[in-house]
Amino acid sequence: MCSPVGNNSAASGNETNRVELIDGSTGLTTSSDAIFTTAYDGTASPLTISSRWLYSYVVSDQYADWIILDPNTAIQPGLGFTMKGIGGGGQLYDFRGKPNNGTISNNILADNFTLIGNPYPSAIDALLLIHDPQNTNIDVATSPDYTPTTTGVLYYWEQTPTTHNTADYVGGYGAYTISSGGVESFSFPTFYGYDDQGNAVPTPPGPGPSKVARRYIPIGQGFMVEGAPGSGSNSVFVKNAHRVYAKESSGNSYFFRTDGENNDNTGVEETQYNELGLNIVPDDFKRFRLNINFNQDFTRQLVQNFHNTATDGFDYGLEAPSSDDSTTDAFWTQNDEDFVIQAHNFDIEKRIPIIIKAENQQPIEFSIFDIQNFDASQPIYIHDIENDTYVDLREQDYSINLPAGNYTDRFEVTFQPEEALSIEGITNENFTIFQNIKNAELTVLNPNGLDIKSITLYNVAGKVVINTKNVGVQNEYRFSTKSLSEGIYVATVTVDTNQAISKKVVIKN
């Protein structure tokens, strides 16, 4: 969160705030002081806030550098803080104090994060914040190689309720940025994608598959910003000029919290969203989102933008560096830096590397969705360089079991195979894969008589349980499953052109 008020005194100008300024709302203009407890949880009536979860984060890149607060610790205007809400949602918090006004700045440092937020009793426009000349540093630029003060990305924390143990947290930071022309990009934080039966697990409440950051930042919303590489020590500025009138809604303004309703949106321009609640890019842009699922435990989403103004270097307002440093993860790469949102000038010969980190051996699945402004006939391949396998993700997902390790040069997204596209792509219609329960056999039907290079079956832990190579051209293949445990498996068929198709199979004996 970020307080819209400071200490209420006769002094002029903005003053420090403190969590103790939060009251419990009892009416339109009345409130009562909140109570504070050292217990893990607070209560709604009377409003009781746990002081165990009060922290700020100022200029650091280490998790251990969260700064513990108490209810009366002075917090500089514009700095954010964490606070644990009341279970059940819908709790009203009444900030009592002098409303912040005017220009507010906070210190930032290259390659370090600072928790700030919207410091006003009104929404602010992320476009005006991110592209303010004092934040882009463009007013002192003498060449296109100017260094902005921040990366131009706002990072929003989101998690599902789990336990009080850090190791059990399920969630992370969603990354939001916006171009100077108003094109928004957002990458979801990682969340569990499937249960042990292979069923999709519902994501936390909010528009679309998870909460989606919007252009207009609500009152009280906190977020992380990162100092741009090479920018040194600077300040990030929030100004009255960034303020707008925008109520919370599922349209242009959304507060990141566990649950609760949003109000109707009024007084701001309309923005188009698809059925997932994601922005629709203009006609001169292309976009797709790549999902990489790890061991059916969590999914990392990577966003790829394409526009004729994008370069192979950093494109401010179109790209977002990763904020995570997990031992198991995936990301785009640029100049040895990790990215969750990236931009390029579209070229059918472009080859875009994907970095995979796997702490343990596990199955990994690549899939794609939210494809915007691509021709229907344009394939989007995942290229497994080691296996020389091309899979058109618009036709099917690609699953593979990977040993533990860092894969820096094995996977890439391409738009045509190196063989100059003389290969006709395979699709789900080329094969039928199912479990013959009566005979306890995995059955693969090959009606088009394709030359099969290998058939591999993985269990839910990623272990190879069937691996047959150079099986040739047959109409039907059968493999005994009598020794296998019942459950969800992934069958991968690779043909002689090194294209592959993967399907989930339920084994029951």
Side-chain angles (χ1 to χ4, degrees):
M1 303 177 75
C2 182
S3 177
V5 303
N7 184 49
N8 191 17
S9 77
S12 62
N14 299 319
E15 299 187 52
T16 60
N17 69 82
R18 57 188 187 277
V19 182
E20 193 270 336
L21 293 177
I22 297 177
D23 285 2
S25 178
T26 58
L28 184 62
T29 60
T30 58
S31 66
S32 59
D33 291 343
I35 301 170
F36 290 89
T37 178
T38 57
Y40 283 114
D41 300 302
T43 58
S45 183
L47 177 60
T48 304
I49 298 172
S50 172
S51 60
R52 283 179 175 264
W53 313 106
L54 304 179
Y55 289 88
S56 64
Y57 194 84
V58 183
V59 188
S60 181
D61 61 356
Q62 301 295 320
Y63 185 85
D65 287 343
W66 284 92
I67 302 169
I68 192 168
L69 310 174
D70 64 47
N72 289 295
T73 302
I75 306 171
Q76 292 299 315
L79 283 179
F81 63 93
T82 65
M83 187 182 81
K84 185 177 182 180
I86 307 300
Q91 177 64 45
L92 294 177
Y93 297 99
D94 195 335
F95 286 84
R96 292 277 164 162
K98 181 166 48 178
N100 289 324
N101 187 37
T103 298
I104 296 173
S105 65
N106 290 110
N107 295 332
I108 55 174
L109 182 65
D111 301 310
N112 282 251
F113 288 89
T114 299
L115 177 58
I116 63 170
N118 176 5
Y120 303 117
S122 66
I124 58 174
D125 187 339
L127 185 151
L128 299 177
L129 168 67
I130 290 172
H131 292 277
D132 186 286
Q134 283 189 278
N135 292 331
T136 61
N137 205 27
I138 198 168
D139 57 335
V140 297
T142 58
S143 75
D145 298 326
Y146 73 94
T147 300
T149 57
T150 77
T151 60
V153 183
L154 313 181
Y155 295 96
Y156 294 91
W157 175 260
E158 182 186 0
Q159 73 179 74
T160 56
T162 48
T163 72
H164 294 117
N165 298 318
T166 305
D168 297 329
Y169 287 175
V170 179
Y173 286 98
Y176 174 92
T177 191
I178 184 170
S179 73
S180 59
V183 176
E184 298 174 272
S185 299
F186 180 72
S187 175
F188 294 107
T190 57
F191 278 97
Y192 280 79
Y194 301 93
D195 62 19
D196 56 4
Q197 299 300 315
N199 301 311
V201 175
T203 52
S210 186
K211 298 181 180 69
V212 179
R214 301 299 191 208
R215 173 172 170 176
Y216 303 105
I217 305 169
I219 300 168
Q221 177 71 68
F223 47 84
M224 288 280 194
V225 293
E226 182 183 18
S231 63
S233 178
N234 281 287
S235 296
V236 60
F237 293 87
V238 187
K239 304 176 180 179
N240 279 347
H242 305 160
R243 298 171 70 170
V244 293
Y245 176 63
K247 293 183 178 180
E248 290 180 44
S249 76
S250 59
N252 293 313
S253 181
Y254 195 81
F255 193 95
F256 271 58
R257 57 185 173 220
T258 301
D259 45 27
E261 297 297 326
N262 287 292
N263 302 320
D264 292 334
N265 186 66
T266 307
V268 296
E269 63 193 63
E270 291 297 322
T271 304
Q272 283 189 310
Y273 303 97
N274 62 20
E275 66 277 6
L276 298 173
L278 301 170
N279 297 103
I280 298 175
V281 297
D283 292 342
D284 58 335
F285 276 77
K286 299 179 189 290
R287 172 180 289 172
F288 67 78
R289 295 171 180 270
L290 180 67
N291 277 2
I292 304 171
N293 181 271
F294 291 86
N295 198 34
Q296 299 187 10
D297 284 338
F298 71 90
T299 299
R300 162 63 71 190
Q301 183 177 101
L302 303 176
V303 180
Q304 190 69 224
N305 292 315
F306 297 92
H307 193 252
N308 58 16
T309 62
T311 69
D312 288 336
F314 178 65
D315 295 299
Y316 188 88
L318 285 177
E319 299 184 311
S322 173
S323 63
D324 296 323
D325 189 24
S326 303
T327 53
T328 298
D329 207 346
F331 37 82
W332 311 116
T333 185
Q334 181 185 114
N335 297 326
D336 297 323
E337 187 175 1
D338 308 341
F339 282 77
V340 292
I341 304 175
Q342 199 174 47
H344 287 97
N345 187 349
F346 182 77
D347 182 346
I348 198 170
E349 296 182 355
K350 178 71 72 176
R351 312 183 82 81
I352 306 171
I354 304 167
I355 308 299
I356 301 292
K357 295 193 301 183
E359 184 179 19
N360 304 302
Q361 177 173 319
Q362 59 192 289
I364 294 175
E365 181 178 77
F366 298 84
S367 62
I368 200 166
F369 76 110
D370 185 39
I371 303 170
Q372 298 185 33
N373 296 339
F374 273 79
D375 292 338
S377 61
Q378 174 60 61
I380 301 175
Y381 293 102
I382 181 71
H383 180 204
D384 184 338
I385 298 171
E386 182 173 311
N387 293 335
D388 196 23
T389 300
Y390 291 85
V391 175
D392 184 0
L393 295 175
R394 301 189 73 169
E395 298 290 341
Q396 60 175 309
D397 301 339
Y398 179 54
S399 298
I400 187 172
N401 182 62
L402 285 181
N406 292 338
Y407 297 85
T408 59
D409 54 8
R410 175 163 178 173
F411 299 100
E412 62 184 8
V413 168
T414 69
F415 304 103
Q416 64 177 17
E418 289 182 337
E419 291 81 5
L421 291 179
S422 61
I423 302 171
E424 182 178 353
I426 62 172
T427 68
N428 286 322
E429 286 68 38
N430 290 115
F431 297 102
T432 301
I433 305 173
F434 63 94
Q435 164 72 356
N436 186 321
I437 298 176
K438 180 179 178 181
N439 298 329
E441 291 177 331
L442 174 70
T443 303
V444 179
L445 302 182
N446 181 21
N448 296 328
L450 298 180
D451 189 355
I452 296 180
K453 186 176 180 179
S454 66
I455 298 175
T456 308
L457 187 69
Y458 304 96
N459 65 13
V460 71
K463 181 181 179 181
V464 176
V465 295
I466 294 176
N467 188 19
T468 304
K469 296 183 178 180
N470 300 319
V471 293
V473 180
Q474 299 179 34
N475 291 329
E476 183 176 336
Y477 308 85
R478 298 180 179 180
F479 306 91
S480 175
T481 59
K482 292 180 179 179
S483 62
L484 301 181
S485 301
E486 294 187 354
I488 303 292
Y489 291 76
V490 176
T492 299
V493 178
T494 305
V495 299
D496 61 340
T497 59
N498 289 322
Q499 296 180 88
I501 188 169
S502 297
K503 292 186 177 181
K504 290 182 180 178
V505 181
V506 178
I507 300 295
K508 291 185 177 180
N509 294 320

